[in-house]
Amino acid sequence: MKSKFLHIRINDNLLEIANLLYDCYFPYVCGDDLPDGWTLGQLGDIIEVHDSKRVPLSAKERSERAKIYPYYGAASVTDYVDSYLFDGVYLLLGEDGTVVNEFGGPILQYVFGKFWVNNHAHILTGEKGYTVDSLYLLCHVLA
């Protein structure tokens, strides 16, 4: 029981720190007095979507393959297959509206290496200087 309360206190503390950092680094949410070179925009302005490269495999197709590379769904690895569609660092965003985290936000998966993705997750990378790491942090703050 003690560990549960400690876990809650640690999470509350981390959330408070994250909010302080966000307020410190992103105080310009209304566009007032933006620093030189800063602009307001939408998430879609800084991401590249790779959904056209998704290829779902049926359970039967997956069962006939060697189990080597992760096969991702909307919320996690659902299987392993003998080939891959992606090789690198990507952010997967659960596509199904029913797949959410405990706070009601979208499921985000930071994935790297060689893997396959079914059609229940959006595959994202950053553009215009944004990395997958920065997108992951930004999406967690916005969720």
Side-chain angles (χ1 to χ4, degrees), residues 105-125:
I107 298 290
L108 296 170
Q109 300 176 79
Y110 180 94
V111 299
F112 55 91
K114 298 175 180 175
F115 59 94
W116 194 296
V117 180
N118 70 19
N119 59 337
H120 295 284
H122 296 293
I123 302 106
L124 312 174
T125 55

Side-chain angles (χ1 to χ4, degrees), residues 123-143:
I123 302 106
L124 312 174
T125 55
E127 55 180 31
K128 298 182 182 176
Y130 286 85
T131 65
V132 171
D133 299 66
S134 60
L135 288 179
Y136 183 74
L137 293 172
L138 180 61
C139 287
H140 269 288
V141 169
L142 295 175

Side-chain angles (χ1 to χ4, degrees), residues 76-123:
S76 65
V77 172
T78 61
D79 205 345
Y80 290 84
V81 293
D82 61 355
S83 188
Y84 59 92
L85 298 174
F86 298 91
D87 185 6
V89 179
Y90 294 84
L91 182 62
L92 304 183
L93 174 66
E95 180 175 274
D96 303 333
T98 59
V99 180
V100 295
N101 63 24
E102 62 273 19
F103 305 109
I107 298 290
L108 296 170
Q109 300 176 79
Y110 180 94
V111 299
F112 55 91
K114 298 175 180 175
F115 59 94
W116 194 296
V117 180
N118 70 19
N119 59 337
H120 295 284
H122 296 293
I123 302 106

